Amino acid sequence: MMLRKVLRTMAEHKGRYIGSTLLLLLASMLLVTMYQASLDLEQTFDAEARLGNLSDAEFTLDQPIDAAALAAQFDADVELGGTADVDVDADRSLRVFSLMDSVNKPVVEAGKLPSADGEIMLDQAFADANGYAVGDTVQAGGRRYAVSGTGYLPNFIYIIKSKAELMADPAKFGAAVVARSDFAQLDDAVAVYAVKFHDRTGLEAQQAAVKNALRGQGRTIVSWQSTDAKVQVSYVAMEIQVMRTMSAALPGAMLALGCVLLSMLLWRTLKGESVVIGTLYAEGYTKAELRRHYLAFPLLVGLTGGVLGALLGWAASGAMFDFMLTAFPMPDHGTSTAPWLLVAAVALPLAVLCAVTWLVIGRVLRTPPAELMKGGQAGADVGWLERRLPLGRLGFPARFRIRAQLRSVSRTVFLLLGTVVATMLLLYGFTMSSSVDSMLGDIDELYNMKYEYVFTTPRTGAPPTGTEQFNAAYVSWEQDEDFTFYVTGVLPDTDCIRGVGPDGQRLVFDKVTLTAPLARKLGVGVGGQVSFFDTENWQRHTVTVEQLDNNYAGEFMWIPLARYNQLFGQPSDSYIGVWSQEQLSFPADTIASTKTMAGVEQAMRSLLDQIGPMIYTLIAVSFLIGLIVIYLATGLIVDENRGAISLLKVFGYRKAETNRLILDSSAPVVVVGYLLGVPALLATAQAFFDSLADSLQFMMPVKLNWWYVLAGFAIVLATYEVSIMLGRRRVNAIPMAEAVKAGTE
């Protein structure tokens, strides 16, 4: 009998309970989808690292060492490999690795490893993007190779050239492996040692011990890169962290909304059934029996939403995992099975809902049965705020709308929180787009040239006509040797680099200058000191920061060219590269790298293209959440004011006037919720970006363009209007006889 009554009550207010179920379904679905995909990605990454024996660090030295002796000394695998960047054609290039036997071993997808001269293994993404198959030939670095196979490299998963790149583009850049004999014939090949410790505890201390031992042998460490700080590998861990964070934040917000909504629904159900509860209470039903009866509401909603959401999330996680493998190419080692995640997706909302329901029921059951039987609990409470507001000075429409909100604080809070959450979801994608647009603007503002040419060796004297010279060094921060950045020597009156001061004025680079993201990461300001090591010879340098460049185009330190050369012990007119507005031609053996600003901008545009689907998905989800929340809130208003609506019709109010009085009373709450959601989003996004700053190769500025704010507001208002339109039908369906019936009762 009790179950039939529960089902009958839910059928009478099916819109409310369907909305609650949808919120819980979305929460469980997002939790399972994101967390399961992160588990699968983590399992695949761990398998790739295990099969390839991923190194703990890679380093280059000024002189060769006995790798076997170093391995024995530190109980590790140490192997000599190497890399070289070679051109395939004018638009495509490869980073070629020497085949290794014990550390950073390639994992073959098709074909086999290169075992003879003239064979090459391409990374799977580059082969797919350019149509290469096993048996084809590819020209790289002026030589022709036969494609022996395709596969993956455990130490080069996110395939970008350097920290300066933002997005991988397999159509233009890829990785390859050749036999040691072929690698020795490549121009500009760099010998790289890889180390993998057998003891998996205290890895940082073991790396420090190896560094000290090498320096004690008189070796200069030209570069040292821990795998944890290598963007081509660390991006995978960063993505796992992001997905874990989002899998907690978004479902948590929706679960909170669902709990608030269900507690309100149950509270109103209990108030409406106070006479029935009092009668049952007086006839001998115990509190435990009554609790069990009303706990059926959250059990049905929680089980339905949780189970359906968990199943849909588990099904969607496979598609999300496949998408992640397109960004981080790795062999598919299969998906993991996490029954505990499915159980948690159902049990967590169920436990929270039942706990909230238990508290709500307990509050009602503290009332004596006699008072419950009088129906005294059904009346609307006049709160202290309503008593203190001078509502008598306002007209009837204003008084009616204000009282409609003040006499149901829980409903108002639910609508407010729902609007805030929907706003944050909606504007998050817009914030990402605005932030990337801001970085593009900073790049355009910083670089007032089109081409950058870096020579293989430093030059002196006058630069080529029409160019501007610069010098640069890749340095390692003293407090954290894994954190590296560029120190660039520029002409004080340079026009190729344009900085922005704190007041927006143009900077003159006659002082030691730090860009804003680098200053934030180093934790220094004007007057602070920065110590770093030159990765070429490991000499220590210390400079005092004299001004800041409010530009987020990169992490740079700018020093006047003459002071730079003096600091690094080079001739006063020395330079390593030139900037130019025109494309120049240099002998191939004199150029180490060429960079175009159009290429940098294209990388940022690629990032925008990548986040486009996410933006549209967030807009759709936020619209759905906003529609559910506002529709349920307006539905509660209609149900709570059925008698008032009927009386308004009896008094001659037209449909449009009645709808404005009843439904439009929530408009200010929606507006306030949106206004609160904007700063809440900016604060959350700033904290989120800052938490990822150590993993990212740049610090994303949090920006939100005003037209996006207006567009978001228009979408929220459109959501509100759709829900109001749905609510009008319910208002129009209430007959005038409702008032007469209420009076007879």
Side-chain angles (χ1 to χ4, degrees), residues 282-362:
E283 289 181 352
Y285 278 87
T286 64
K287 289 184 179 181
E289 291 173 322
L290 292 173
R291 285 183 191 273
R292 285 196 298 271
H293 165 64
Y294 286 104
L295 280 173
F297 289 93
L299 284 172
L300 288 174
V301 172
L303 282 174
T304 304
V307 171
L308 290 178
L311 294 176
L312 290 174
W314 184 76
S317 65
M320 188 170 186
F321 173 60
D322 291 340
F323 173 76
M324 298 310 302
L325 288 185
T326 62
F328 305 104
M330 290 182 287
D332 188 351
H333 295 286
T335 58
S336 60
T337 303
W340 64 267
L341 182 59
L342 299 178
V343 172
V346 177
L348 180 61
L350 200 60
V352 175
L353 288 176
C354 288
V356 171
T357 303
W358 187 275
L359 295 175
V360 172
I361 298 172

Side-chain angles (χ1 to χ4, degrees), residues 532-711:
F532 50 83
F533 294 98
D534 182 356
T535 56
E536 290 291 331
N537 51 30
W538 213 248
Q539 290 184 352
R540 181 179 181 274
H541 306 284
T542 300
V543 297
T544 300
V545 179
E546 297 173 315
Q547 66 180 1
L548 297 179
D549 180 4
N550 191 27
N551 190 296
Y552 280 82
E555 298 169 351
F556 303 109
M557 175 183 290
W558 313 103
I559 300 179
L561 184 57
R563 290 176 59 182
Y564 173 96
N565 288 330
Q566 181 182 11
L567 179 69
F568 286 88
Q570 299 184 19
S572 60
D573 58 347
S574 175
Y575 60 93
I576 193 63
V578 294
W579 291 315
S580 173
Q581 298 291 352
E582 304 294 334
Q583 187 171 4
L584 303 176
S585 178
F586 296 97
D589 59 349
T590 65
I591 293 296
S593 67
T594 301
K595 182 170 67 177
T596 66
M597 294 306 106
V600 175
E601 184 173 345
Q602 181 59 41
M604 297 294 292
R605 295 295 180 190
S606 298
L607 179 60
L608 274 178
D609 293 339
Q610 291 282 346
I611 67 176
M614 181 192 70
I615 294 174
Y616 300 133
T617 301
L618 288 175
I619 290 175
V621 171
S622 61
F623 182 85
L624 179 60
I625 293 174
L627 184 61
I628 293 173
V629 169
I630 298 174
Y631 174 73
L632 292 176
T634 53
L636 290 173
I637 294 175
V638 173
D639 289 342
E640 292 170 358
N641 292 276
R642 292 181 64 88
I645 293 170
S646 180
L647 280 174
L648 290 173
K649 291 181 177 181
V650 170
F651 291 153
Y653 279 81
R654 293 186 292 271
K655 289 182 179 180
E657 294 173 322
T658 304
N659 284 324
R660 282 197 298 271
L661 282 173
I662 300 299
L663 300 177
D664 290 350
S665 63
S666 298
V669 180
V670 173
V671 174
V672 172
Y674 185 82
L675 295 177
L676 292 176
V678 173
L681 164 75
L682 295 177
T684 304
Q686 185 65 68
F688 183 60
F689 289 171
D690 288 347
S691 69
L692 298 178
D694 292 337
S695 301
L696 291 170
Q697 81 281 15
F698 61 90
M699 181 173 286
M700 181 83 79
V702 178
K703 302 288 184 181
L704 182 59
N705 295 331
W706 63 268
W707 57 86
Y708 282 144
V709 177
L710 294 179

